[in-house]
Amino acid sequence: MKSIMGGRAGISLLVVLLMPAALLLMAAKAPSAKAQTEATISGTVTAGGNPVEEWRVIAYGADGSIKGSDRTNASGRYVIGGLEA
């Protein structure tokens, strides 16, 4: 399990990958100090070095509410956009 927490002005996002056999936790790193109104989280999910398809990735806000989600594609990639920076 990997967890990296970061936040600006008390805001942080938590990404949870929901998988059949495991629960992985990751967190979005805070945006730079520049004024931003929208953020995107993206990445690749692998198991044993191989991409994992059709896993749901969910971004949670600091308050525990769901802020966005995506499913991994055949290459294991996901993109969750439109997040509050």
Side-chain angles (χ1 to χ4, degrees):
M1 179 170 16
K2 181 177 182 182
S3 179
I4 304 170
M5 296 301 292
R8 179 175 55 86
I11 297 173
S12 63
L13 293 176
L14 179 65
V15 176
V16 178
L17 306 175
L18 298 179
M19 299 160 283
L23 181 66
L24 298 178
L25 298 176
M26 301 167 57
K29 190 168 182 165
S32 67
K34 295 178 184 175
Q36 291 181 321
T37 58
E38 190 173 295
T40 300
I41 298 172
S42 64
T44 304
V45 179
T46 61
N50 299 310
V52 179
E53 185 176 8
E54 290 298 318
W55 280 3
R56 186 172 183 209
V57 180
I58 304 171
Y60 289 91
D63 63 356
S65 65
I66 295 175
K67 300 299 182 180
S69 68
D70 193 20
R71 287 208 178 265
T72 58
N73 64 17
S75 300
R77 296 270 308 145
Y78 66 89
V79 177
I80 305 172
L83 302 170
E84 182 180 322

